[in-house]
Amino acid sequence: MCGIVGYIGNKDAFPILLKGLHRLEYRGYDSAGIALVSEERKNLNVYKTRGKVADLEHFVESKDISGTIGIAHTRWATHGEPNDINAHPHYSQSENIALIHNGIIENYAVLKEELLRKGYTFQSATDTEVLVQFIEYVKDSNHTDLATAVHLALSQIVGAYAIAIIEKNNPDFLIAARKSSPLVVGIGEDEFFLASDATPIVEYTNKVIYLDDEEIAVIRREEGLKITSIENVEKTPHIQELSMNLSQLEKGGYPHFMLKEIFEQPRTLLDCMSGRINVEGNNVVLSGIFDNQEKFRKAKRIVICACGTSWHAGTIGMYLMEEYCRIPVVVEYSSEFRYRKPVIYPDDIVIAISQSGETADTLAAVELAKSHGAFIYGICNVVGASIPRATHSGSYTHAGPEIGVASTKAFTAQVTVLTLMTLVIGKVRGTISEENYLKIAQELLKVPAKMEQTLQLNEQIKEFSKIFTYAKNFIYLGRGYNYPLALEGALKLKEISYIHAEGYPAAEMKHGPIALIDAEMPVVVIAIKRGMYEKVVSNIQEIKARKGKVIAIITEGDEIVKQVSDYYIEIPDTEECLVPLVASIPLQLLAYHIAVTKGQDVDQPRNLAKSVTVE
Ligand code: AGP
C-alpha cells in the first residue's frame, strides 16, 4: 500500500528514484510524485500527478530534475481521492520540507484542527499533509532542527507510517522513520537508499538494514547513517545481505509478470522443497518445526490466520493437517480474528500466512496471539518482512519476488510449505502412517513436472477463454481439498477481469446458488477422479439440467466428465491432497487469458495493491 523510495549520495537522484518507483508500483498506482533538492538553485522541487509512474515520467519532462538527494512515492489512496493534489510528496506550510508516507495517521483530524486554529492551511485531503505540517509546527515552535522535530512530532503520532523527509536548506540530510509499515535502508559506497522493500535497492548494493518499529534513520552526507529510537536512544544497526537477483524483477520476455509467475511455478516449487525433502522422498525436514518439536507434539489446536489468497492456502492447510496430524485446525480471516476477542490458549500454535509478510491485519493477529502466549509460526515469502520478524519460528516459501498483484506462485509455494509441515508435524505427533508419509512426499517431488505438463495447455486455455469474455458472472465449484481452490480460482478471475465470481463447495450449490444457473452462466468445476468424484459428477449433471456452461478440470483420460461438460481441461493425476497444486495452473491461466482478452491491466488491477499495510 504505497511505495516509498529515497536517495542521498553523489549520483543524480532522479533516475534512481524513478526506477525505484517502477519497482514499487505494484504497491499502489493511482498517483505518483517526486521531490528533489536542487543544490545549484537552492530549490525543493515537488512534482506529482494522478496516474502511474509513466505519467509522472511524462509530467517531469522539461522540468528541473537536478539534485543528488530526493524522495519519491507511488500511491494507493486511503485519505483523499486519487488526484494531483492528494498525491505525495506533500510540502509543509513554508514549502521548506517535503514528506512521503505509507500508512495511516489515525489522529490526523485532531492535529489538523489544532493546526487550523494556529493559522495553517491545507491543500489536500490527506493525513500525510497534516503530518508534514505538524513536523514543521513542532520545529518552528521549539526553535529546533528537523531531526529533533521529527523525534518530538512522532512521539505524538498515533497510527502507522513509513516516512521519508527532505529539507530545502539542507541538501545533505535525509530522515526516515517507520512504525507498522515497512522501510529498508540500503548502504552503498558514500550513498544511501530508502525503500518500502529491497527491490529498488538490489542493483546498487546488497547491504541493507530493515528498520524496526519506531526507529528513525538519520542520514547525513558526511557522517553517514545513525539509527535511533523515537526517544532518541541510539541503536546498533543490524546489516543484512540480500539474496535477491535482478532477473527476478524483470518480465523476462513475458507480456506480464503474472504470466511469468504462473510459468515459474515448477521452479519455485523445487526451490521451496530444496533442502527440505530428500530425493528418495522419505525424509522431510523443516528446521522451524524441528527446533520446536515439543510445542507441535503437545499443541491442542492450530489456528491459521491469513487474508485473501493466503487464507485460501491456509484452508487447504486445514484439510491437510486435520487429515494427517489429527489436530483441530481453524482458519481465520486475520481482520476478523484480531477484533473478535478470540479465545487463544498458550498451547495453541498460530500459523500466520502472508506472501508480503506486511499485511497489517495478519501482523496484528500475530501480535494478539503472541500476547496470549501462543506459539507463532510464519509462512512468508518476503525475507526480512515484518511478519517473519514478529513470529517465533517459521518457513519461507522461497518463491522469489512476486510482482503481479494477483498471487499465483506464492499461493502454490504456501500450499507446498503447508504440505511439508503436515508431513513433519504428522511424524512428530505420530499421526501419519509410514505409507501415507512416503506416498505424499514422493508424489510431491513429482508435482513440478506435472505442473510443467499442465502449462503446455496454455494455448488451449487461451483459445477457449475468449468464449467467456461475455460473462458477467462465474461460479467455481470444488469439494474437499478443491473447495478452497474453487475460492482461489474465483478470486483470481474477479480481481483481474472484474467479472463477478463466486467459489462454492460443490454440494452447497443446491442450497442457493443453483438459482443463478441459466444458459449464460459459466461454471468451473474441479472434477478430479479423487475424493468425492461421483458426487461432483452428479453436481455437473445438475448444472447441465439447467443449461449452465460447464468448464471442467478433469483427470487425464476421464471420458465420463468429458462427455457431460461443455469444455474440459485435462491435468495429470496426483494424490488427492496435492491436486490443488496442479489444478491451480489452469485456473490461473483461465483468469489471466480472460482478463487479457478483455483488455484489463492484469499486473496492476484497479483498486488493488500488492501489500495491504492498512486495515
Ligand atoms: C491475491 O491475489 C490478492 N491480491 C490478495 O488477496 C492477497 O493474497 C492478500 O492481500 C494477502 O496478502 P499477503 O499474502 O501478502 O498477506
Side-chain angles (χ1 to χ4, degrees):
M1 240 72 297
C2 301
I4 73 174
V5 50
Y7 176 77
I8 179 167
N10 41 30
K11 300 193 184 93
D12 275 342
F14 181 77
I16 295 170
L17 295 174
L18 194 73
K19 201 165 199 185
L21 284 188
H22 277 296
R23 291 263 159 80
L24 293 177
E25 200 165 23
Y26 71 89
R27 301 177 67 88
Y29 33 83
D30 60 46
S31 49
I34 201 157
L36 297 152
V37 178
S38 155
E39 291 96 332
E40 237 172 66
R41 299 196 181 94
K42 304 256 175 304
N43 272 345
L44 172 55
N45 295 314
V46 170
Y47 307 117
K48 51 190 191 168
T49 181
R50 189 195 168 135
K52 298 202 170 189
V53 177
D55 298 298
L56 175 69
E57 218 170 330
H58 184 61
F59 181 75
V60 298
E61 276 165 19
S62 76
K63 302 226 167 38
D64 173 15
I65 49 164
S66 64
T68 56
I69 175 170
I71 53 178
H73 186 270
T74 177
R75 181 169 187 245
W76 185 88
T78 57
H79 294 61
E81 63 173 284
N83 61 24
D84 297 355
I85 293 173
N86 290 331
H88 299 208
H90 288 282
Y91 273 132
S92 62
Q93 183 84 7
S94 67
E95 299 196 352
N96 281 332
I97 302 172
L99 178 147
I100 51 173
H101 169 219
N102 168 28
I104 289 181
I105 306 301
E106 287 172 14
N107 58 339
Y108 83 101
V110 185
L111 296 173
K112 189 170 182 175
E113 231 169 78
E114 192 184 327
L115 291 167
L116 283 167
R117 270 201 304 273
K118 294 186 190 303
Y120 283 74
T121 53
F122 292 86
Q123 314 297 317
S124 76
T126 65
D127 51 339
T128 304
E129 192 186 6
V130 177
L131 180 59
V132 68
Q133 302 271 41
F134 183 60
I135 289 171
E136 179 158 89
Y137 162 69
V138 172
K139 179 174 181 286
D140 292 349
S141 54
N142 288 283
H143 309 289
T144 184
D145 61 8
L146 181 59
T148 311
V150 170
H151 280 91
L152 291 172
L154 290 184
S155 64
Q156 295 181 58
I157 294 299
V158 181
Y161 53 79
I163 53 171
I165 311 169
I166 53 174
E167 201 179 14
K168 182 174 172 178
N169 304 320
N170 206 351
D172 299 327
F173 179 75
L174 173 62
I175 184 163
R178 75 152 266 177
K179 185 182 176 195
S180 306
S181 289
L183 197 56
V184 189
V185 182
I187 305 165
E189 284 289 317
D190 299 321
E191 59 185 353
F192 293 90
F193 306 83
L194 290 172
S196 299
D197 68 34
T199 56
I201 297 175
V202 64
E203 65 195 275
Y204 308 105
T205 176
N206 65 353
K207 286 203 202 96
V208 295
I209 297 165
Y210 293 92
L211 285 192
D212 274 330
D213 264 357
E214 307 204 355
E215 281 188 346
I216 298 180
V218 174
I219 306 168
R220 291 191 170 88
R221 252 185 238 277
E222 290 300 312
E223 293 94 328
L225 170 73
K226 186 173 159 191
I227 296 178
T228 63
S229 66
I230 287 185
E231 295 77 29
N232 216 2
V233 177
E234 192 161 349
K235 299 277 195 85
T236 314
H238 171 47
I239 301 176
Q240 301 189 33
E241 274 205 13
L242 290 174
S243 55
M244 203 182 279
N245 71 55
L246 266 181
S247 66
Q248 293 175 309
L249 307 173
E250 309 290 345
K251 284 190 198 145
Y254 287 89
H256 298 99
F257 280 110
M258 183 179 175
L259 191 62
K260 177 187 174 225
E261 287 157 7
I262 293 172
F263 272 82
E264 274 174 356
Q265 290 175 104
R267 174 81 255 151
T268 53
L269 252 67
L270 288 171
D271 290 345
C272 179
M273 290 189 272
S274 165
R276 292 169 167 172
I277 177 167
N278 64 347
V279 280
E280 293 81 21
N282 56 15
N283 193 23
V284 181
V285 181
L286 283 176
S287 55
I289 296 179
F290 188 79
D291 299 342
N292 299 283
Q293 287 187 49
E294 260 328 276
K295 300 251 179 229
F296 284 89
R297 192 172 293 126
K298 291 192 177 141
K300 298 265 180 323
R301 184 175 72 143
I302 289 177
V303 179
I304 297 177
C305 290
C307 304
T309 288
S310 299
W311 187 91
H312 298 151
T315 309
I316 295 173
M318 173 178 78
Y319 280 75
L320 276 161
M321 289 176 185
E322 291 204 333
E323 179 165 2
Y324 296 109
C325 308
R326 305 306 299 145
I327 184 168
V329 182
V330 286
V331 190
E332 300 274 0
Y333 287 114
S334 306
S335 54
E336 288 298 313
F337 179 78
R338 62 179 289 196
Y339 286 117
R340 211 188 53 226
K341 307 209 171 26
V343 180
I344 308 166
Y345 301 108
D347 53 6
D348 278 345
I349 289 178
V350 173
I351 301 176
I353 308 177
S354 174
Q355 186 286 129
S356 62
E358 297 294 347
T359 299
D361 284 321
T362 304
L363 185 57
V366 163
E367 296 300 350
L368 175 72
K370 233 160 105 177
S371 71
H372 284 75
F375 179 76
I376 322 289
Y377 198 90
I379 300 177
C380 295
N381 193 38
V382 177
V383 177
S386 302
I387 293 172
R389 287 191 294 146
T391 51
H392 296 114
S393 182
S395 302
Y396 282 114
T397 44
H398 298 307
E402 190 180 62
I403 315 281
V405 165
S407 187
T408 52
K409 62 175 183 172
F411 171 71
T412 46
Q414 288 165 344
V415 175
T416 304
V417 168
L418 286 159
T419 310
L420 295 171
M421 285 180 74
T422 301
L423 295 172
V424 178
I425 300 170
K427 196 155 215 181
V428 165
R429 294 172 69 88
T431 51
I432 188 164
S433 68
E434 191 59 23
E435 190 194 343
N436 281 336
Y437 184 93
L438 283 176
K439 205 168 63 179
I440 296 170
Q442 289 171 352
E443 184 60 23
L444 185 60
L445 287 167
K446 295 181 190 152
V447 166
K450 294 187 177 186
M451 282 180 148
E452 200 77 70
Q453 184 186 334
T454 310
L455 285 164
Q456 306 306 313
L457 303 173
N458 183 37
E459 282 304 314
Q460 179 204 335
I461 297 170
K462 182 179 176 181
E463 268 319 296
F464 83 74
S465 64
K466 291 178 188 150
I467 303 165
F468 298 103
T469 46
Y470 75 87
K472 297 262 177 297
N473 298 287
F474 256 77
I475 293 178
Y476 284 70
L477 301 176
R479 286 192 78 159
Y481 287 96
N482 296 323
Y483 157 53
L485 184 65
L487 298 177
E488 175 58 11
L491 177 65
K492 284 292 86 79
L493 184 72
K494 68 185 134 191
E495 67 183 337
I496 59 170
S497 72
Y498 318 143
I499 295 173
H500 171 246
E502 290 290 338
Y504 257 89
E508 275 291 301
M509 186 184 61
K510 55 188 167 297
H511 298 287
I514 199 162
L516 297 168
I517 294 183
D518 61 17
E520 299 279 281
M521 178 65 90
V523 186
V524 179
V525 188
I526 305 144
I528 297 299
K529 265 196 161 171
R530 295 270 180 177
M532 286 153 287
Y533 168 72
E534 284 83 9
K535 293 186 194 301
V536 175
V537 176
S538 304
N539 294 136
I540 294 179
Q541 301 284 13
E542 289 157 12
I543 301 161
K544 284 315 301 165
R546 287 153 185 89
K547 298 192 167 45
K549 296 277 171 288
V550 172
I551 306 157
I553 314 292
I554 65 169
T555 308
E556 242 175 351
D558 178 355
E559 298 302 324
I560 298 173
V561 184
K562 265 187 205 173
Q563 275 160 30
V564 291
S565 47
D566 298 272
Y567 308 91
Y568 58 83
I569 301 165
E570 287 180 272
I571 63 168
D573 187 31
T574 185
E575 281 303 314
E576 187 185 352
C577 64
L578 303 177
V579 169
L581 291 171
V582 183
S584 288
I585 303 264
L587 298 186
Q588 294 165 351
L589 287 171
L590 182 67
Y592 171 79
H593 287 299
I594 291 177
V596 170
T597 313
K598 284 175 73 84
Q600 312 299 15
D601 186 348
V602 293
D603 281 340
Q604 296 177 346
R606 70 184 181 206
N607 305 338
L608 291 177
K610 185 77 185 159
S611 177
V612 184
T613 53
V614 296
E615 291 188 35

